[in-house]
Amino acid sequence: MQRSLWGPVVTRNQNRKRNSQERGGVSIQMLVILVPVLFGFMGFAVDLGRLYLVKGELNQAASAMATAAASQLNGTTQAATAAANAAQSLLDDSLNSASRYNLGSIVIGQASVGLNSGVDPTALFATAQEAIAAAGQPGAVSAADGSTARHVTINLNADAPLLFWSLLSLGQSRHVSIAATAVAGMSAPLCTACGIEPFAIAPIDAGDTTNFGFTPGNAYTLGMQCTGAAPALLAGTTAPRVAYLIVDRYDSGGALLEDQQLFRIGAQGMIPSNPAFACSRINNTENIWATAAVRACAAPGVSQSVQNLLCGLSTRFTTTTPAACSANADLNDLVAAYPADTNSDSITDYPSYDGNSRRVITVAVVDALSTGGAMQVQGFRQFLLNPTPGVDPVANNPADANGRYAALYLGSVMPVKQGRFDGSCGATAGPGKVVLHQ
Amino acid sequence: MNPRTRRGNMIIEAAMWIPICTLLLVGMAQIGKITYTYYTLRKTVYSIAQYISSQQAANFCDSADTVIAAGISFGITGTTDNTGTPLITGLTADMIQVTPELFDVTTQSLVNWDTTGCDTAAGGTTPQFIVVSIPNGYLIQPRIPLLPVLDPIPLKPVAKVPYGG
């Protein structure tokens, strides 16, 4: 007996009366039966493989969008818009780097031949539980406004094309919709915060683990610690005066000069690769920056190092260099690198602040200020820099004789860019960083 | 019809079907290979981007920066010190490009993070996004019997993640 590809079928047909017409009919019959089966199985291999790939691409895009949006949540009303814009900027293809799917061929959110894709509006939530519950729910809407939102849910969907299954009756639309979702938000309090401003302040009330005795919404005068009778407060700020010391971040082997390093840190520039020059850890100790020494309050000015750091802070208000800083030629090259905050007004009601968070600083709260010994870090808290009244252009005053600047106490409103949770440090309050929940 | 003729028909049938089936099967395997390679490449660039963006600092001005090199090595070999074997044969660190991007608030648009001021300002502000790509593509050669040799297909996955977090 002969065997061919269609052996069993032919064998069955051998029992019937055969003629040449019937025999021709076998192939066509087989074709009709086998082609859909074959295409079905080919679809499993090819189409299902591609759907899996597309799902991965969409998940990646959703994760990046959620993380970008969550990093903009700074506790202001404006944050809702900023978060939506940040998520949208991942779909901006002007630099050819937008999030794409289908083997990187279609930008998400843009229509392609017969294939649609779209992203639901960024949904904001105050708690991670609410945000996770909204994941995968198309049309989920924000349950929190920008000032209370801490977590973001992104839902998106896109049509993936079908190749073999599109030839079958069940896949006649030639595409199938795939959904992806991601949830990101502020984490638990960080133990190690990197790239924060190197100011150390003492608590007003060491027993208050949430705010260290500071009142959210109050503007304080932060001034360089000095000996003798304390200098006056800046106009519009409340007592007590908050003294600070500058934590040592000097990288003696760095490419930049010491005054440039101070300026860059104050201006929120790139942080050095070595964590020793960038990170503070709760319960670890910090020393003061050697050249930022304490002087008498009645002295004609603070040390040059303090002034350089304050010059860096002024870039957060204005791109015009204050006179006290332009005298230092080392800094002139750096000034242009830092954009100013979009809002440089004096703020008393933080939720109404609509800038881009350039003025938000994160400082270390230590057990007690000490020029000689080590200061133990108790936590990190955030302030909003306010301009010093009467300074033109609107900014803090780097030339202030006591290194004073005004800052609104915020608490822990905004995620820190970089940090770690390594080990247990016992922090129950403080800023976190953006993490992907799902 | 004598059995001899019938055998002839079978051979013709088989001769018709076998190339088509072979093409389908081999084509399927090739599509599978390309899809799998693309998926792996995409995960590689995404891992690199995630690694670099979550380190406390990377100096984007220095092409030999240890954090960036470790990130690229992590994506390619799974080890930060480049001791492992590459997960994809032929994928090397010099094929991978890391580009930081910034959202310019004054023009409200995405711009490439400026590296011109690197020597003095160490790049100025921190970038907002890290884009990892394979600009010239990872070349994959589809091999299908009976067909002329096809051009290699460049696979160019791009991953963009926000800096920090």
Side-chain angles (χ1 to χ4, degrees), chain A residues 76-365:
Chain A
T76 64
T77 315
Q78 172 75 10
T81 317
N85 288 346
Q88 202 60 34
S89 63
L90 279 153
L91 307 179
D92 177 349
D93 202 31
S94 57
L95 296 176
N96 219 5
S97 61
S99 298
R100 293 156 184 269
Y101 75 106
N102 191 25
L103 287 131
S105 63
I106 306 171
V107 176
I108 296 170
Q110 291 183 8
S112 176
V113 274
L115 302 173
N116 293 314
S117 54
V119 183
D120 284 0
T122 309
L124 307 176
F125 301 92
T127 65
Q129 285 83 355
E130 288 176 286
I132 290 167
Q137 308 291 328
V141 289
S142 297
D145 73 338
S147 61
T148 53
R150 291 288 176 275
H151 304 273
V152 176
T153 300
I154 295 280
N155 288 314
L156 56 83
N157 60 78
D159 291 338
L162 294 175
L163 186 64
F164 285 100
W165 281 348
S166 67
L167 302 170
L168 305 178
S169 58
L170 70 134
Q172 273 174 341
S173 60
R174 301 180 62 83
H175 57 74
V176 62
S177 181
I178 299 194
T181 186
V183 182
M186 180 131 94
S187 69
L190 288 173
C191 287
T192 304
C194 299
I196 62 171
E197 283 68 15
F199 294 104
I201 57 171
I204 295 174
D205 172 10
D208 176 4
T209 53
T210 310
N211 287 313
F212 293 111
F214 295 95
T215 308
N218 269 8
Y220 292 92
T221 296
L222 276 74
M224 180 68 189
Q225 199 186 33
C226 54
T227 52
L233 299 179
L234 292 170
T237 61
T238 52
R241 172 180 182 270
V242 181
Y244 65 77
L245 284 174
I246 296 177
V247 172
D248 189 11
R249 290 278 175 271
Y250 179 45
D251 177 7
S252 55
L256 295 182
L257 301 170
E258 185 178 3
D259 50 1
Q260 291 176 323
Q261 288 187 25
L262 280 155
F263 182 86
R264 183 186 61 182
I265 293 169
Q268 207 174 31
M270 283 299 294
I271 48 180
S273 293
N274 187 340
F277 304 122
C279 303
S280 289
R281 191 177 192 286
I282 292 177
N283 298 335
N284 279 11
T285 54
E286 297 283 2
N287 293 307
I288 68 159
W289 193 302
T291 54
V294 172
R295 292 183 177 178
C297 297
V302 288
S303 66
Q304 191 62 43
S305 291
V306 176
Q307 190 174 323
N308 288 332
L309 186 63
L310 297 178
C311 284
L313 288 187
S314 74
T315 66
R316 296 155 186 251
F317 292 95
T318 172
T319 49
T320 310
T321 319
C325 310
S326 57
N328 187 344
D330 291 342
L331 308 184
N332 289 342
D333 295 341
L334 307 185
V335 173
Y338 303 101
D341 198 322
T342 48
N343 177 330
S344 57
D345 302 337
S346 185
I347 303 289
T348 50
D349 172 31
Y350 179 64
S352 69
Y353 164 69
D354 63 355
N356 60 353
S357 306
R358 281 273 287 140
R359 284 161 57 196
V360 176
I361 61 170
T362 308
V363 302
V365 182

Side-chain angles (χ1 to χ4, degrees), chain A residues 2-6 10 14 18-20 23 26-27 31 35 38-39 41-42 45-46 49-50 52-53 56-57 59-60 63-65 67-68 71-72 85-86 89-92 94-100 102-105 163-164 194 255-256 260 264 267-275 278-279 333-334 337-340 342 356 358 416-420 433-436, chain B residues 1 3-7 9-11 13-18 20-21 23-25 27-29 31-32 34-40 42-43 45-46 50 52-61 65-67 100-106 108-114 117-129 131 155-165:
Chain A
Q2 304 86 357
R3 290 272 172 200
S4 80
L5 276 178
W6 321 119
V10 175
Q14 277 170 343
R18 306 174 200 104
N19 60 37
S20 59
R23 282 194 43 73
V26 173
S27 282
L31 213 63
V35 158
L38 202 63
F39 281 4
F41 280 106
M42 300 281 283
V46 175
R50 176 146 65 169
Y52 182 68
L53 178 76
E57 287 173 307
N59 274 339
Q60 177 186 313
S63 305
M65 289 175 78
T67 320
S71 68
Q72 300 295 319
N85 288 346
S89 63
L90 279 153
L91 307 179
D92 177 349
S94 57
L95 296 176
N96 219 5
S97 61
S99 298
R100 293 156 184 269
N102 191 25
L103 287 131
S105 63
L163 186 64
F164 285 100
C194 299
L256 295 182
Q260 291 176 323
R264 183 186 61 182
Q268 207 174 31
M270 283 299 294
I271 48 180
S273 293
N274 187 340
C279 303
D333 295 341
L334 307 185
Y338 303 101
T342 48
N356 60 353
R358 281 273 287 140
V416 175
K417 278 274 184 206
Q418 308 280 351
R420 294 190 297 279
K433 66 172 183 174
V434 173
V435 288
L436 203 58
Chain B
M1 184 192 289
R4 204 181 170 82
T5 322
R6 207 167 66 199
R7 191 179 302 138
N9 280 348
M10 291 294 165
I11 291 166
E13 263 183 26
M16 256 169 53
W17 279 104
I18 285 172
I20 295 176
C21 284
L23 270 183
L24 276 176
L25 285 171
M28 205 167 78
I31 291 177
I34 293 169
T35 311
Y36 170 77
T37 310
Y38 187 84
Y39 192 85
T40 317
R42 193 189 58 73
K43 281 194 101 160
V45 290
Y46 188 59
Q50 284 281 48
I52 293 174
S53 74
S54 58
Q55 292 303 299
Q56 67 263 14
N59 180 5
F60 298 98
C61 298
D65 183 66
T66 49
V67 174
E101 281 182 8
L102 194 67
F103 188 77
D104 189 332
V105 287
T106 46
Q108 289 289 308
S109 63
L110 272 182
V111 291
N112 273 320
W113 185 74
D114 186 15
C118 276
D119 292 339
T120 50
T125 55
T126 50
Q128 257 139 358
F129 298 103
V131 178
L155 301 178
K156 298 179 177 177
V158 177
K160 177 159 151 180
V161 300
Y163 186 63

